[in-house]
Amino acid sequence: MAGYLTTHVLDTARGRPAAGLRITLYALEGERRCLRELVTNADGRTDGPILPEAEFRPGRYELLFHVGEWLGGQDDAPAPRFLDEVPIRFLMAEDDHYHVPLLISPYGYSTYRGS
């Protein structure tokens, strides 16, 4: 099995998935290089893997979640905004499923390696 990368973004303040949130994936080997940009669906996930099996390579990566942009588009967005971009840098060292969820609210976030 080749490795692949997925995510799930949940708005914990509102108790629902973060639909329509833009995510950018960067490779961090050598120069920071943009690999792709995706938007979460109604379930707070991307429609397919962020990094599919055919393109998986072990290495250092960054997921950049454009949280401020997304929060600003919500009807009850606090002003002024606190969060802007949320970068998560991580290593994928072996062929495996890497799942990087993001739990957000207007004033904080958390992440972990999921399954």
Side-chain angles (χ1 to χ4, degrees):
M1 173 181 102
Y4 62 103
L5 173 64
T6 59
T7 192
H8 191 191
V9 185
L10 298 169
D11 179 346
T12 59
R14 294 172 186 88
R16 64 180 187 226
L21 190 139
R22 188 166 56 101
I23 303 168
T24 309
L25 174 66
Y26 294 94
L28 299 177
E29 300 298 325
E31 290 186 27
R32 183 176 184 241
R33 184 171 42 94
C34 181
L35 298 178
R36 69 180 29 87
E37 192 166 279
L38 304 120
V39 176
T40 57
N41 60 25
D43 192 35
R45 301 174 188 272
T46 56
D47 289 333
I50 297 170
L51 189 60
E53 291 183 23
E55 299 172 36
F56 180 87
R57 303 288 178 276
R60 295 178 60 232
Y61 292 88
E62 175 182 276
L63 281 171
L64 185 63
F65 295 87
H66 300 269
V67 173
E69 177 183 285
W70 183 82
L71 285 169
Q74 303 305 299
D75 292 336
D76 57 349
R81 274 196 330 239
F82 176 67
L83 290 177
D84 188 27
E85 295 176 335
V86 173
I88 300 173
R89 290 187 171 186
F90 54 97
L91 299 171
M92 295 192 292
E94 54 193 30
D95 286 347
D96 202 357
H97 175 198
Y98 289 84
H99 184 66
V100 181
L102 182 68
L103 308 175
I104 59 172
S105 74
Y107 301 104
Y109 64 91
S110 67
T111 188
Y112 55 95
R113 179 171 177 191
S115 57

